[in-house]
């Protein structure tokens, strides 16, 4: 909880003064996000596992503010609907329950960028992801569907590089994230590496 409070306070402190408001630039962004993850079913988790390695669409908006001649801070909020995965678990009587897993992410990425050249910069910073999970289970015997939902915050460290061509900016970001929590009422996907590539268009100045 303390980490989340400090994260929010840091964001507010950057954007709180009137002088900063006049220098903020806004950029809608669209791109792709790659987060390979593994699900371990309840039955024989060491033997049977479900892998997902698909690329997902990312939609977001970013705000950038200069804090020095060669330094600027960038905040991006984005949304990703991760691909659905499904599998069948084996019981003592053979294949029985059919499972479907869905999850969506809301991401908050904060970067401190340093300009290597006029239009090229690199940055690092913290990230916060709010994941919303949904697991559906269908019994083959009677087609009865049971549903379980949950959500949780995950923290990460990010590094990225940005190339600006007039009003268009190309962004490549890598995040190291530990996406697992055994306290959830069902297994959470384990995914340690996320890669985002987006294209943004600067609005205003």
């Amino acid at each position: 909880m303390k980490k989340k409070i400090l994260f929010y306070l840091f964001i507010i402190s950057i954007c709180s003064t009137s002088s900063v408001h006049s220098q903020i630039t806004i950029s809608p962004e669209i791109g792709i996000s790659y987060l390979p993850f593994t699900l371990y079913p309840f039955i024989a988790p060491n033997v049977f596992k479900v892998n997902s390695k698909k690329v997902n669409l990312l939609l977001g908006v970013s705000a950038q503010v200069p804090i020095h001649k060669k330094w600027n801070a960038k905040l991006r909020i984005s949304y990703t609907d991760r691909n659905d995965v499904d599998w069948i678990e084996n019981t003592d009587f053979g294949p029985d329950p059919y499972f479907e897993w869905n999850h969506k992410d809301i991401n908050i990425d904060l970067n401190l960028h340093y300009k290597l050249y006029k239009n090229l910069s690199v940055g690092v910073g913290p990230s916060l992801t709010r994941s919303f999970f949904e697991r559906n289970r269908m019994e083959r015997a009677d087609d009865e569907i049971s549903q379980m939902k949950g959500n949780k915050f995950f923290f990460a460290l990010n590094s990225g590089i940005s190339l600006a061509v007039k009003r268009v900016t190309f962004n490549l970001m890598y995040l190291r994230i530990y996406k697992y929590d055994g306290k959830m009422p069902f297994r959470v996907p384990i995914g340690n590496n996320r890669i985002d590539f987006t294209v943004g268009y600067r609005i205003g100045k």
Side-chain angles (χ1 to χ4, degrees), residues 5 18 23 28 38-39 42-43 54 56 78 97 107 117 120 130 139 142 158 161 167 170 181 184 192 199-200 203:
I5 293 174
S18 58
Q23 302 177 64
T38 301
L39 277 169
F42 285 94
I43 300 175
K54 293 185 178 180
N56 309 116
S78 62
N107 311 295
Y117 302 99
L120 183 68
R130 183 72 164 183
E139 300 292 345
D142 52 13
N158 69 66
I161 183 169
R167 288 184 173 271
F170 301 91
D181 187 353
M184 295 291 288
N192 299 102
V199 179
I203 298 175

Side-chain angles (χ1 to χ4, degrees), residues 64 72 113-117 119-123 160-163:
Q64 187 169 287
N72 61 67
H113 270 258
Y114 176 78
K115 288 185 179 181
L116 296 175
Y117 302 99
N119 61 342
L120 183 68
S121 64
V122 294
I161 183 169
S162 295
L163 174 66

Side-chain angles (χ1 to χ4, degrees), residues 64-162:
Q64 187 169 287
V65 56
I67 48 181
H68 192 264
K69 185 178 180 180
K70 284 185 171 285
W71 293 90
N72 61 67
K74 180 179 178 180
L75 173 67
R76 185 183 71 184
I77 300 175
S78 62
Y79 168 82
T80 307
D81 186 354
R82 298 294 171 189
N83 56 288
D84 302 341
V85 294
D86 53 71
W87 71 95
I88 296 173
E89 291 194 5
N90 293 310
T91 66
D92 294 336
F93 304 99
D96 186 36
Y98 169 82
F99 288 89
E100 182 185 52
W101 174 271
N102 313 311
H103 87 270
K104 301 172 176 61
D105 290 339
I106 295 177
N107 311 295
I108 301 176
D109 305 309
L110 181 63
N111 310 98
L112 189 61
H113 270 258
Y114 176 78
K115 288 185 179 181
L116 296 175
Y117 302 99
K118 183 178 180 180
N119 61 342
L120 183 68
S121 64
V122 294
V124 295
S127 293
L128 180 67
T129 296
R130 183 72 164 183
S131 288
F132 298 87
F133 311 110
E134 179 182 296
R135 192 200 70 179
N136 299 314
R137 169 176 173 157
M138 184 178 72
E139 300 292 345
R140 288 177 173 268
D142 52 13
D143 291 339
E144 182 180 350
I145 298 176
S146 60
Q147 189 177 79
M148 193 174 288
K149 294 183 178 181
N151 61 84
K152 187 169 179 61
F153 281 108
F154 295 96
F155 290 94
L157 292 176
N158 69 66
S159 59
I161 183 169
S162 295

